[in-house]
Amino acid sequence: MAIQSIKFHYSDFVCATLVADGGSENHAVTISQLLETTPNPEITKVVALKDIAFSNSPVEAVNKVMKRYLRYYEPDSGERLYECLSLAVEDYCSVRPHVSLGGRTPLEAYTDVFPDLDFTEKTRQAREVRVNFNKSNGCGRC
């Protein structure tokens, strides 16, 4: 699907780079066969921290998040797996704000959209609700 996406969105790309870590799943025969049989785009595999100076830990962090979604939804079929991953990608990219992106979603960061992050009024309202609740729900001794 990633190769199809590259072809669809970037039809003029003639090459791509696959950044892999040292895990055995990235060095299986099927990966080698895929790389050999994909002429457009030509895919070059590099190993993080071996062939290149940086790591693929940002992508691994996203994989960890996706695994959490899958553990929560427990898909029991290929169709349900696809639905769960589609939901997870939408939530992760378009709904959940990320601290590392200054409170923006990845889509907002990519499209250079800056949401209003002034929570002054909401903070004031929350404090007022909390104080009123505490005053009306005391222990009776004070």
Side-chain angles (χ1 to χ4, degrees), residues 66-84:
M66 291 299 122
K67 287 177 184 178
R68 288 180 186 152
Y69 281 100
L70 294 176
R71 279 194 297 272
Y72 178 78
Y73 288 107
E74 297 181 347
D76 56 1
S77 68
E79 183 178 313
R80 187 72 181 120
L81 173 64
Y82 185 81
E83 290 172 8
C84 291

Side-chain angles (χ1 to χ4, degrees), residues 1-138:
M1 289 178 71
I3 294 168
Q4 291 171 352
S5 182
I6 289 171
K7 288 179 179 182
F8 180 79
H9 293 288
Y10 306 100
S11 58
D12 56 342
F13 269 31
V14 293
C15 64
T17 304
L18 170 65
V19 179
D21 61 19
S24 60
E25 71 277 6
N26 297 316
H27 307 289
V29 173
T30 53
I31 298 294
S32 298
Q33 290 172 344
L34 174 71
L35 299 177
E36 292 169 9
T37 60
T38 307
N40 182 26
E42 180 183 347
I43 302 171
T44 303
K45 182 177 81 169
V46 295
V47 178
L49 299 176
K50 180 179 176 188
D51 300 324
I52 55 175
F54 55 90
S55 118
N56 66 341
S57 60
V59 170
E60 291 295 338
V62 173
N63 289 340
K64 181 172 70 174
V65 171
M66 291 299 122
K67 287 177 184 178
R68 288 180 186 152
Y69 281 100
L70 294 176
R71 279 194 297 272
Y72 178 78
Y73 288 107
E74 297 181 347
D76 56 1
S77 68
E79 183 178 313
R80 187 72 181 120
L81 173 64
Y82 185 81
E83 290 172 8
C84 291
L85 286 174
S86 295
L87 182 140
V89 168
E90 172 68 19
D91 186 55
Y92 185 84
C93 293
S94 301
V95 177
R96 295 174 54 186
H98 295 242
V99 172
S100 63
L101 299 175
R104 296 184 290 167
T105 67
L107 182 61
E108 289 169 335
Y110 181 73
T111 57
D112 216 20
V113 171
F114 289 86
D116 177 18
L117 298 177
D118 181 8
F119 300 111
T120 306
E121 182 57 24
K122 286 187 178 186
T123 302
R124 188 197 64 71
Q125 290 172 356
R127 183 179 188 283
E128 184 178 313
V129 167
R130 188 176 64 251
V131 168
N132 289 337
F133 177 83
N134 290 342
K135 284 181 179 179
S136 64
N137 292 294

